[in-house]
Amino acid sequence: MVATMDKGAKKEILLSLFMFTADLRPNDRAYTQTLIDHIKALLAMGYDGFDLPIAAQQMDDHQAEIDSYARFRQALDAAGLETVRFTTNVGTTRTFDPTSPFREQREGALAYLKSRVDITSILGGKTVMAGPIVFPYGVFPTLDSGTPLWSDALQDWLEPRYKLARPIIEELASYAEKRAVKLAIEPVDHWETPAPNMVSDVLGFLEGVASSQAGLTIDSAHVVLGSSGPAAYQADLRTTVAQRRLNYIHISAPDRGALRDSWIPWESFLAPILPVYDGPFLIEVFNAIPAFLGGLHLTRRKFWIPGEDQPVAGRPSAYDVARDGLETVREEFAKLKYLSAL
């Protein structure tokens, strides 16, 4: 049976802190205060919560990281933010790779991902950890000669790697369930990462993972830029819901920038989701900060950040883009509610 959502229920709308940073720098007290200032300003606009990027680290001392985020959480609480909704964004790395052919490296990846679940639990309580947590983000395979693998050769290379990763994600899901954290594996576009690229890719991977605690993120940008169309999207969504794996929805423009007047097919994307999903919706804008320039090949100008950058006359600030994005999403929700009542 497919779950149905109360049409009158308030929809939680969160903002990704990718608007400002890819690293919370939890040991930097001054920067923690800067983020608190941003969060308070955005709450005043009407946001219900925030997605926190947990930066990748190459260190093995995960406990030290966990402790640093616990202190960060204490600072949020002390600032009066103890009831704000927080989710997290996490990615695997070349070092911490669940798909590695080497058992010790896969075990290291599992320890790394468990530490991210712990951090997520500390920051958000009963919440969601989303992101590319199967294949390392942005790491494309090559032969020993340096020749990259594409198309059929890439797909043949991927399958045994998926098989190796399944027990890791299964154990991670069990660990996350005990901490009330849902996993939301995110398919990401093929020019950003080799796999998984589409919702169907994640569903295929999860056929070998019994726990529905391991589910999916569905992101409008990746759906629009993927190689399949609306019919496949709706079919994959039905399968995801039937398996109780729809754990997060991201709303992002195809260029990962401002939402207002972007090429998001609002009705096609949201209309099938609203009746079956009652979780948070995340507005995800990747600002043109140094961390994203090369990986996303950003050519647009930065949205200047109040309190950090000098104001730029005639150009929108990060706050302007955040405010417009929230208004746009609310308008689209209202339109779809009206259409559903006709």
Side-chain angles (χ1 to χ4, degrees), residues 45 65 75 107 122 146 150 179 272 277 291 294 318:
M45 294 179 196
E65 280 189 279
E107 291 175 350
I122 288 168
W150 301 113
R179 285 150 182 80
Y277 176 73

Side-chain angles (χ1 to χ4, degrees), residues 148 152 160 168 228 325:
D152 291 345
I168 301 299
S228 56

Side-chain angles (χ1 to χ4, degrees), residues 2 231 233-243:
V2 174
Y233 162 65
Q234 293 190 32
D236 290 340
L237 177 61
R238 287 193 295 270
T239 301
T240 303
V241 171
Q243 295 181 7

Side-chain angles (χ1 to χ4, degrees), residues 55-125:
Q57 300 289 340
Q58 303 309 316
M59 59 194 293
D60 290 322
D61 188 359
H62 301 311
Q63 189 58 52
E65 280 189 279
I66 293 168
D67 292 344
S68 71
Y69 283 99
R71 291 190 293 272
F72 179 81
R73 173 75 253 193
Q74 290 168 2
L76 296 180
D77 292 348
L81 303 175
E82 61 270 18
T83 63
V84 176
R85 174 68 171 262
F86 292 108
T87 61
T88 66
N89 186 284
V90 168
T92 52
T93 71
R94 191 187 297 271
T95 299
F96 299 115
D97 179 1
T99 76
S100 171
F102 304 107
R103 179 181 56 80
E104 289 186 359
Q105 191 172 9
R106 294 196 303 276
E107 291 175 350
L110 177 59
Y112 171 81
L113 288 170
K114 284 182 175 179
S115 75
R116 267 55 198 156
V117 169
D118 291 337
I119 290 168
T120 301
S121 178
I122 288 168
L123 293 176

Side-chain angles (χ1 to χ4, degrees), residues 208-225:
V209 178
S211 174
S212 62
Q213 196 76 10
L216 286 91
T217 296
I218 295 183
D219 185 310
S220 60
H222 302 314
V223 167
V224 169
L225 296 172

